[in-house]
Amino acid sequence: MTKRHVSLPADAEDGLGAFIEEVDSRLSGEEDTCAVVEDVLVDLHGDRRAYERWQAGADVSAAERVRLQGYDPCNATLESEYYAEKDEEAFERSKHLQWLWRQFDATPMADNVEFALRFRRMLADHLFAECGDGCRFFKGITFTYGHNISVGDNVVVHDEVHLDDRGTLSIGDRVSVSDGVHVYSHDHDIVDQTEVDNYRTIVEDDVRITFDAMIRAGCRVGENSIVGARSVVQSDVPAHHVVVGQPATSVRIKPGWEDAAEPLDGDHPDGRAGRRLEYDLPEDLEQFDEFQRDLRPPAGR
């Protein structure tokens, strides 16, 4: 094994445990989530004195006001807020929790690994559809919503990973996701990029997705497989295979798993099309075209 157990000093452990338990209890209770997030962020950023002065009506500069207002997630927007097909009720709470996750990562405490892993793991219980035991989430992880993600036991997600759950994303047990990985569950039309298809993307048990790889929306990454560094997975990955390249192709079977795996040169079925998710847009939706393009092909000569 290449890891060892690390523990905090007793006083630090007591403080950490008490804080996480308090935030967990408040998020599990009947308090307004937005208010809980604002209160926690004010203290994590060490701004309680300035915040109370502002709340009491004292004069603050324009910059101070923007900073203090920004602790309230209701005063912020996220990119996913603009997505027309989102579940508005689910998004309202997940937005607040996402804001807490992201703004926690902007504090010095986010670099205290033991504290940060346990804090994010607690938040995952509130944000994700499901989160198993023993999961470890490192710094800079982003989501589309959060509430369409299911994660199994003993999953590790490293720094600067994007987990897109505009569709749905399922991650199995004992999965390792390395730094810089992007896993998608939505795709854009090749002609009109404002046309979006959402998918179920599935990463099965014991998968390793290594540095800077990308998984396309709707793909199934089969159990015990490995996606090589900077690979681009465009179709299903067979169980126990090692895939590399752009687009990723199978180059070997993990040693010892030859009898359980599909042959390397076999016809590997791709079920991506069957994982497309239908959705309806609100009838009263006011759409806007951010590109203002004329998508008609040029007239023939």
Side-chain angles (χ1 to χ4, degrees):
M1 299 297 290
T2 58
K3 296 289 180 69
R4 64 179 68 192
H5 180 72
V6 177
S7 59
L8 293 170
D11 285 349
E13 175 62 38
D14 289 345
L16 164 63
F19 172 70
I20 292 177
E21 183 178 347
E22 176 186 309
V23 177
D24 186 24
S25 177
R26 293 182 67 184
L27 291 174
S28 301
E30 297 183 359
E31 282 187 81
D32 177 66
T33 305
C34 191
V36 174
V37 170
E38 179 181 21
D39 198 40
V40 171
L41 287 177
V42 167
D43 285 333
L44 281 175
H45 284 267
D47 233 356
R48 175 61 61 184
R49 184 172 298 178
Y51 179 81
E52 290 181 348
R53 182 166 51 85
W54 172 58
Q55 289 289 292
D59 289 338
V60 295
S61 70
E64 280 184 302
R65 182 177 179 182
V66 168
R67 186 186 78 246
L68 295 169
Q69 286 176 324
Y71 297 130
D72 181 349
C74 297
N75 292 328
T77 58
L78 300 176
E79 181 183 356
S80 49
E81 197 153 355
Y82 299 89
Y83 296 164
E85 81 282 7
K86 70 181 183 297
D87 181 330
E88 294 287 352
E89 184 176 350
F91 178 76
E92 182 178 1
R93 177 171 168 83
S94 63
K95 173 190 172 179
H96 301 163
L97 295 168
Q98 255 207 81
W99 191 247
L100 178 53
W101 188 303
R102 289 173 181 236
Q103 297 309 304
F104 168 75
D105 272 2
T107 70
M109 291 303 298
D111 289 317
N112 182 340
V113 173
E114 181 66 16
F115 173 41
L117 290 177
R118 287 161 64 178
F119 185 74
R120 296 189 197 101
R121 173 62 190 82
M122 178 273 294
L123 282 183
D125 266 339
H126 297 278
L127 177 59
F128 296 170
E130 295 180 37
C131 188
D133 296 330
C135 294
R136 295 160 60 85
F137 303 105
F138 284 83
K139 191 175 181 181
I141 302 168
T142 56
F143 323 100
T144 306
Y145 305 130
H147 58 255
N148 290 330
I149 297 176
S150 297
V151 178
D153 296 333
N154 300 310
V155 169
V156 179
V157 182
H158 287 277
D159 291 351
E160 306 301 331
V161 167
H162 182 60
L163 302 177
D164 166 43
D165 63 318
R166 190 166 179 174
T168 66
L169 174 58
S170 173
I171 299 175
D173 298 335
R174 300 172 300 278
V175 170
S176 174
V177 182
S178 294
D179 304 69
V181 166
H182 285 216
V183 184
Y184 288 99
S185 66
H186 83 280
D187 211 344
H188 294 264
D189 182 79
I190 195 169
V191 175
D192 181 1
Q193 70 188 71
T194 67
E195 291 292 326
V196 173
D197 288 328
N198 291 334
Y199 291 86
R200 291 185 299 114
T201 301
I202 302 166
V203 180
E204 295 187 339
D205 295 349
D206 300 301
V207 165
R208 278 180 59 202
I209 305 175
T210 64
F211 175 78
D212 245 8
M214 193 215 43
I215 311 298
R216 188 182 183 189
C219 291
R220 179 192 294 272
V221 184
E223 67 173 314
N224 194 39
S225 60
I226 298 178
V227 177
R230 294 186 172 170
S231 297
V232 177
V233 172
Q234 297 273 25
S235 59
D236 289 357
V237 175
H240 318 299
H241 280 227
V242 178
V243 300
V244 300
Q246 301 177 6
T249 58
S250 294
V251 294
R252 65 182 297 189
I253 295 170
K254 292 179 75 172
W257 295 91
E258 292 82 1
D259 292 342
E262 296 177 16
L264 197 63
D265 57 355
D267 182 16
H268 304 147
D270 182 27
R272 180 176 179 270
R275 301 187 194 104
R276 184 173 176 271
L277 300 172
E278 299 292 337
Y279 61 81
D280 295 317
L281 295 177
E283 293 183 1
D284 59 350
L285 176 68
E286 290 188 30
Q287 299 189 51
F288 76 95
D289 179 359
E290 60 185 312
F291 300 107
Q292 300 293 316
R293 293 174 179 157
D294 182 355
L295 298 175
R296 294 171 297 181
R301 296 179 181 178

